[in-house]
Amino acid sequence: MLMFFGRDEKKDTQKRAETVPLLPLRDIIVFPHMVVPLFVGRERSIAALNYAMAHKGADDKATILLAAQKKAKTNDPTPEDIFHFGTLGNLIQLLPLPDGTVKVLVEGMRRAKVKEFLPHDSFFMVQVEEVAESSEKSVEMEALVRSVHSVFEAFVKLNKRIPPEMLMQVSAIEEPARLADTIVAHLSLKLNDKQALLETESPVKRLEKLYELMQGEIEILQVEKKIRTRVKKQMEKTQKEYYLNEQMQAIQKELGERDEFKNEIQEIEEKLKTKRMSKEATLKVKKELKKLRMMSPMSAEATVVRNYIDWILSLPWYDETKDRLDVTEAERVLNEDHYGLKKAKERILEYLAVQALVQKLKGPILCFVGPPGVGKTSLARSIARATGRKFVRLSLGGVRDEAEIRGHRRTYIGAMPGKLIQSLKKAASNNPVFLLDEVDKMSTDFRGDPSSALLEVLDPEQNHSFNDHYLDLDYDLSKVMFICTANTMHNIPSPLQDRMEIIRIAGYTELEKLSIARRYLVPKQKDANGLGDVNVDFTDSAVRTVIHRYTRESGVRSLEREIASVFRKVARDVLKNGKRDIRVDQKLVRKYLGVQRYRFGMPEREDQVGIVTGLAWTEMGGELLTTEATVMPGKGKLIITGKLGEVMQESAQAALSYVRARAERFGIDKKFSETCDIHVHLPEGAIPKDGPSAGVTMATALVSALTKIPVRRDVAMTGEITLRGRVLPIGGLKEKALAAHRAGIKTVLIPKENRKDLREIPKKIRAAIRIVPVEFVDEVLREALVLENPDEFLKKPAPAEPKAEGVALPQQSATQPAAQ
Ligand SMILES: Nc1ncnc2c1ncn2[C@@H]1O[C@H](COP(=O)(O)OP(=O)(O)OP(=O)(O)O)[C@@H](O)[C@H]1O
Ligand SMILES: [Mg+2]
């Protein structure tokens, strides 16, 4: 019914300001008091603008309703696509642009509701109803306005997009409705939210809603800010690191290090290509190399990794020397280097022969056991020469930590591979002769047991995958020929002994020593002292003098040293007097070496009461050990001196008990144990002694002291005794026999059960001394005591008169009755 009003245009605007053209807006809602520029392109919209400009109202304003489209995308909206609530706007300026669109500056004035869409062809014409803003004032309102102000202030502080001037402008607004609308213009809200705010008629409600929205915004902004600062910090840190790294690299480049590092890595890569290693090792090196490339060359870590790689690359994984498998040639070499040692050499040659046949030998490990200076170490060296293998020696003396053999794990600072791997690197071949010298000198403590590591090394079933803690890779030791040496067997843990084939080298006889000196030591020392082209005649008697008077040993080390000493003096003479022909005889040796150090021959000059020569065995070989016993008035005390060990002391007690039990038989007063003290002493009291094998010696000394019958000085003995007077077997017979021979002893008494060991004693010695196996102490006494009538002695009943010092017997005589 109002259809026609549109026609009467001029009148309409004046009379009915409520009929206005509508400008549909995309994506924007214009609030009252807001001035915004709009770009208008749609034909209908431009027509609406033009209409409004042409029909200004009485207040000279070109009024138009600014209402938003529900969806921005809709190009040709119908009334349903448009919100029916908008803002009446005043077109301030219209500026047609060259491309046919129009830029328009519009100011929002008042809210208005669309009452009705009026029919119009070229644009929307609507009848609107203005919404009156209530301007009520209350305390509540006042409070609300203040809160909104303060929240807005906080909001502006957080939001960088709102210029701070806005704050001034807004804080001047006291009117609630205007305040709300001004603020809304600056909030980034969704279209629907904004529209809802527009449609909220009550300013109080609007402010409340706004307050809520701003609080939400602030929270979001705060979180955003937090994230931003965190990100920024992180960025700064990585940027800083990057920058510093770049700088460091520049410095390194300047110093030429980076290039060096690169070269180094390249070198490793080259080496990796050519080096033959286990697959595991190759993979490991590649992995470490990858790590290394990422590292700064100066860092401590890089050094650790580089070291590790170096170690792996420097090991002889598959580098081996070719074995000389000619047994005759090997024999020649062994003989060339060492005199005698028949058994050891034979065993070595057998070993080599078998190896030549089976290629890969899983045989037991050879272990040379014997006193110092008998050539154990040098024999091993000689084996290497004979087989054409490399030689490495690892001294185990004083090794007390498993890690010394197996290495420390790489996590330790300054970790290194164990000595075994280190030695292999030195050998530069994976099949050397590997001498484990002095296995008996290893010790065990809280750091672990080195022998347990050796167990694995020496086990042919296990040692193909030996794992060093540092390398942490399996290394194949199965081609290595291990040889051990030791002075005694005692200290070798038995599981280790079990893996070894023991070859005993007991020591040399005088004749052997003479031959060794003549053939090896003298020529060797002559050359070593620069007398190669001088004629030196070192006579046998001179060598014998050195052996007898200046050395006392099982081996030949001191002998070699003394010979060297003689040659040094000869060299001086040669330089001084220019002599070219020199004869070193007994006299010259005495002159050069000075006062003789040892007395040669038997320890005693005559047969004496209570002094008996025993035979002892030590790590140095066999030795003579005198036992003295003396009886004095007292109360039956047994005094034992000479630093004897527990076993030896008990041995003395046993001897005494034996003698007491048999006193009558020997013609000793039964009560001697109440009326006299007995003192047993072993000279060289500073040296600790132990072991049961002096039992017979002590028994003999006691009997001699109590009966006052002297003991023959050329008899030596060894054997443990029981309380009943049986003689039990002992060890080290060969060494003891050698020692007895060295000292010029004529008769040696040994336990009968040791007869089986006689074979070990060199024939020459067996020929030179009389060896008497005995079963009971009676037999010992019969041999050792100077008796006129041995048979009678042992049957003699105890004499009637109780004399503390035993019976008077035929006094000692220097003449020796022939003993069988
Ligand atoms: N049978 C021998 N023939 C030639 N030389 C020998 C013989 N025995 C030992 N020697 C020489 O004696 C010296 C000492 O030998 P070596 O060092 O091998 O003794 P060892 O048994 O290892 O002693 P230790 O137990 O003290 O280590 C060496 O110079 C060695 O050549
Ligand atoms: Mg040695």
Side-chain angles (χ1 to χ4, degrees):
M1 53 185 182
L2 292 169
M3 239 179 242
F4 302 106
F5 290 150
R7 296 260 174 95
D8 195 355
E9 292 163 82
K10 229 176 195 163
K11 248 189 216 165
D12 280 352
T13 34
Q14 277 176 352
K15 281 187 203 160
R16 301 184 201 139
E18 284 95 349
T19 307
V20 289
L22 181 146
L23 181 66
L25 301 177
R26 299 184 199 224
D27 246 350
I28 184 170
I29 286 170
V30 179
F31 281 81
H33 316 295
M34 204 172 149
V35 178
V36 277
L38 299 171
F39 291 87
V40 182
R42 286 182 283 190
E43 236 173 70
R44 284 170 68 88
S45 299
I46 294 175
L49 290 177
N50 286 335
Y51 177 88
M53 283 308 269
H55 299 81
K56 288 192 180 174
D59 47 1
D60 200 29
K61 281 183 179 169
T63 310
I64 196 165
L65 183 69
L66 303 162
Q69 286 180 202
K70 289 179 183 164
K71 280 181 189 154
K73 274 190 226 155
T74 323
N75 218 2
D76 224 346
T78 59
E80 282 74 52
D81 294 329
I82 300 171
F83 288 115
H84 290 192
F85 201 113
T87 305
L88 284 175
N90 170 31
L91 303 179
I92 300 172
Q93 200 184 39
L94 216 65
L95 188 69
L97 294 177
D99 60 349
T101 61
V102 175
K103 181 182 173 187
V104 56
L105 196 63
V106 60
E107 182 196 9
M109 294 191 300
R110 296 173 299 276
R111 288 175 162 74
K113 274 188 226 171
V114 176
K115 281 285 152 199
E116 196 177 351
F117 276 80
L118 302 178
H120 199 286
D121 290 339
S122 40
F123 53 86
F124 294 114
M125 191 62 138
V126 289
Q127 194 184 34
V128 296
E129 185 188 279
E130 280 185 31
V131 177
E133 303 274 16
S134 82
S135 51
E136 51 166 312
K137 278 210 167 141
S138 63
V139 181
E140 201 186 325
M141 181 71 94
E142 180 68 29
L144 192 58
V145 168
R146 278 192 204 170
S147 324
V148 169
H149 271 306
S150 70
V151 172
F152 183 69
E153 195 180 328
F155 178 70
V156 171
K157 272 188 192 156
L158 284 169
N159 193 330
K160 295 271 146 54
R161 268 163 290 181
I162 302 175
E165 304 90 74
M166 267 308 297
L167 197 59
M168 301 270 285
Q169 206 182 320
V170 169
S171 62
I173 304 171
E174 289 294 328
E175 195 197 326
R178 183 163 178 186
L179 178 65
D181 291 343
T182 314
I183 289 177
V184 170
H186 293 287
L187 295 187
S188 52
L189 299 176
K190 282 191 215 119
L191 190 78
N192 283 337
D193 286 345
K194 277 199 174 178
Q195 182 67 28
L197 271 171
L198 186 68
E199 289 180 16
T200 309
E201 289 172 29
S202 149
V204 177
K205 287 235 174 78
R206 226 182 291 160
L207 277 180
E208 277 172 358
K209 211 164 191 176
L210 198 60
Y211 182 85
E212 223 171 82
L213 280 169
M214 277 199 294
Q215 284 287 19
E217 275 301 291
I218 285 178
E219 249 168 61
I220 294 172
L221 284 174
Q222 269 171 343
V223 174
E224 235 177 56
K225 189 179 167 188
K226 232 192 247 167
I227 293 173
R228 220 179 311 129
T229 48
R230 206 162 47 204
V231 169
K232 198 173 151 209
K233 255 192 210 158
Q234 225 154 25
M235 290 270 286
E236 271 169 8
K237 200 176 153 215
T238 47
Q239 236 160 12
K240 191 171 135 197
E241 269 175 19
Y242 174 77
Y243 174 72
L244 287 178
N245 251 325
E246 283 294 305
Q247 215 168 24
M248 194 161 73
Q249 285 191 0
I251 293 171
Q252 280 164 356
K253 200 162 194 172
E254 202 57 34
L255 293 173
E257 261 160 23
R258 192 79 214 172
D259 289 348
E260 218 170 85
F261 188 55
K262 268 194 193 136
N263 282 348
E264 214 173 308
I265 288 182
Q266 222 161 29
E267 247 172 61
I268 294 174
E269 278 165 352
E270 293 290 306
K271 210 165 174 189
L272 188 61
K273 271 185 221 153
T274 52
K275 178 90 186 170
R276 288 200 306 144
M277 299 194 294
S278 74
K279 207 187 248 167
E280 194 193 0
T282 314
L283 284 180
K284 192 85 167 218
V285 171
K286 278 187 184 157
K287 204 168 128 197
E288 295 289 319
L289 200 57
K290 206 163 154 193
K291 264 198 241 164
L292 186 60
R293 282 203 201 94
M294 319 263 256
M295 289 178 178
S296 144
M298 299 296 279
S299 67
E301 261 180 320
T303 318
V304 170
V305 172
R306 234 174 316 179
N307 263 343
Y308 180 65
I309 294 178
D310 275 352
W311 266 109
I312 297 182
L313 287 176
S314 64
L315 286 180
W317 293 88
Y318 295 114
D319 311 330
E320 47 182 289
T321 54
K322 210 168 146 15
D323 268 357
R324 189 190 300 145
L325 295 171
D326 182 350
V327 177
T328 351
E329 172 63 11
E331 187 173 5
R332 193 189 62 72
V333 173
L334 289 181
N335 284 332
E336 194 174 287
D337 292 347
H338 290 94
Y339 174 84
L341 300 175
K342 220 172 121 201
K343 212 168 127 192
K345 285 181 188 165
E346 259 168 31
R347 183 63 195 90
I348 294 163
L349 290 173
E350 281 164 22
Y351 186 95
L352 298 181
V354 175
Q355 194 170 40
L357 292 176
V358 299
Q359 297 301 332
K360 194 161 177 170
L361 186 62
K362 278 195 179 175
I365 311 300
L366 296 183
C367 178
F368 301 137
V369 179
V374 291
K376 300 181 297 295
T377 306
S378 69
L379 191 59
R381 205 180 282 276
S382 181
I383 293 174
R385 199 165 84 88
T387 51
R389 292 182 182 219
K390 292 262 173 61
F391 178 77
V392 267
R393 172 173 167 267
L394 171 57
S395 180
L396 294 170
V399 169
R400 54 176 63 203
D401 185 354
E402 190 187 349
E404 279 189 63
I405 291 178
R406 232 186 230 288
H408 281 291
R409 297 198 187 281
R410 213 146 45 101
T411 43
Y412 283 78
I413 296 173
M416 284 241 279
K419 284 191 165 159
L420 208 107
I421 291 292
Q422 289 184 28
S423 305
L424 277 171
K425 180 185 166 186
K426 244 192 281 166
S429 104
N430 78 341
N431 64 339
V433 169
F434 199 126
L435 179 65
L436 296 166
D437 220 357
E438 309 184 6
V439 264
D440 56 332
K441 304 289 189 298
M442 271 185 313
S443 49
T444 307
D445 70 3
F446 61 93
R447 276 166 294 199
D449 184 357
S451 67
S452 62
L454 275 192
L455 280 185
E456 191 188 326
V457 170
L458 296 183
D459 188 340
E461 298 299 330
Q462 292 183 44
N463 69 8
H464 54 85
S465 59
F466 173 71
N467 198 292
D468 184 274
H469 285 330
Y470 177 81
L471 289 185
D472 201 15
L473 294 168
D474 284 348
Y475 191 92
D476 184 0
L477 292 176
S478 62
K479 289 191 176 154
V480 178
M481 178 171 179
F482 285 105
I483 295 178
C484 306
T485 77
N487 288 130
T488 73
M489 297 271 297
H490 303 318
N491 303 333
I492 309 178
S494 41
L496 259 187
Q497 282 189 29
D498 202 49
R499 285 168 170 69
M500 307 193 274
E501 176 170 339
I502 308 288
I503 296 178
R504 284 179 181 281
I505 303 178
Y508 299 114
T509 63
E510 186 189 317
L511 264 178
E512 282 172 327
K513 283 186 188 174
L514 189 64
S515 304
I516 293 172
R518 205 164 41 203
R519 287 198 225 163
Y520 298 87
L521 307 182
V522 169
K524 192 161 124 197
Q525 289 306 328
K526 185 169 164 244
D527 281 350
N529 285 290
L531 298 167
D533 50 359
V534 182
N535 239 334
V536 183
D537 177 15
F538 213 115
T539 65
D540 282 1
S541 71
V543 176
R544 261 186 227 274
T545 308
V546 177
I547 294 172
H548 290 162
R549 315 265 167 202
Y550 297 93
T551 66
R552 179 173 286 174
E553 58 175 351
S554 306
V556 292
R557 188 174 283 130
S558 304
L559 179 59
E560 185 171 7
R561 200 169 44 232
E562 296 304 329
I563 291 174
S565 168
V566 170
F567 273 119
R568 277 200 300 279
K569 299 208 156 77
V570 171
R572 228 176 87 189
D573 268 7
V574 167
L575 280 187
K576 226 178 180 172
N577 312 329
K579 276 200 262 179
R580 294 269 114 188
D581 272 306
I582 292 171
R583 189 178 138 85
V584 180
D585 56 11
Q586 201 174 342
K587 227 173 92 199
L588 201 61
V589 163
R590 280 173 192 253
K591 187 184 145 204
Y592 281 162
L593 296 182
V595 183
Q596 69 172 54
R597 233 158 288 157
Y598 301 100
R599 207 150 43 81
F600 175 68
M602 276 167 276
E604 303 302 332
R605 284 180 192 279
E606 50 193 28
D607 301 337
Q608 290 191 43
V609 172
I611 297 188
V612 186
T613 307
L615 291 171
W617 181 85
T618 69
E619 284 179 27
M620 307 288 288
E623 243 174 62
L624 261 49
L625 186 67
T626 308
T627 301
E628 296 177 347
T630 181
V631 179
M632 52 212 145
K635 288 200 179 109
K637 254 202 307 193
L638 175 65
I639 306 161
I640 306 167
T641 53
K643 210 150 189 215
L644 310 192
E646 226 170 283
V647 178
M648 215 169 206
Q649 293 195 25
E650 283 170 7
S651 200
Q653 302 273 11
L656 182 63
S657 300
Y658 165 76
V659 175
R660 275 177 65 182
R662 299 286 175 117
E664 212 169 329
R665 192 139 178 270
F666 299 144
I668 304 170
D669 180 3
K670 265 200 288 187
K671 290 202 196 114
F672 80 89
S673 55
E674 287 157 28
T675 52
C676 32
D677 288 347
I678 297 176
H679 187 165
V680 175
H681 177 67
L682 277 77
E684 295 190 58
I687 302 164
K689 312 169 189 76
D690 206 358
S693 72
V696 286
T697 326
M698 295 205 239
T700 309
L702 287 174
V703 172
S704 164
L706 287 165
T707 57
K708 293 280 181 270
I709 305 174
V711 183
R712 296 162 56 142
R713 66 188 183 114
D714 60 351
V715 173
M717 61 188 74
T718 178
E720 187 179 346
I721 60 161
T722 67
L723 288 179
R724 314 213 169 246
R726 268 177 66 87
V727 181
L728 300 183
I730 45 78
L733 186 68
K734 182 176 175 192
E735 287 88 342
K736 287 175 177 174
L738 288 178
H741 181 249
R742 264 204 300 279
I745 298 286
K746 299 270 166 20
T747 306
V748 173
L749 310 180
I750 63 162
K752 202 166 191 169
E753 282 178 50
N754 278 109
R755 267 194 309 197
K756 61 177 179 1
D757 305 324
L758 281 176
R759 273 179 303 140
E760 288 181 10
I761 300 175
K763 271 200 200 105
K764 289 217 171 80
I765 294 203
R766 265 188 282 166
I769 53 180
R770 199 168 67 89
I771 297 174
V772 185
V774 292
E775 202 174 354
F776 295 101
V777 179
D778 291 357
E779 295 163 67
V780 174
L781 296 175
R782 205 194 298 249
E783 287 286 344
L785 296 180
V786 183
L787 298 172
E788 281 193 343
N789 196 342
D791 293 334
E792 212 170 290
F793 166 71
L794 288 170
K795 281 182 201 143
K796 203 165 189 156
E801 61 276 59
K803 264 220 267 168
E805 300 202 343
V807 267
L809 271 161
Q811 267 312 294
Q812 64 232 64
S813 74
T815 53
Q816 293 165 17
Q820 294 304 309

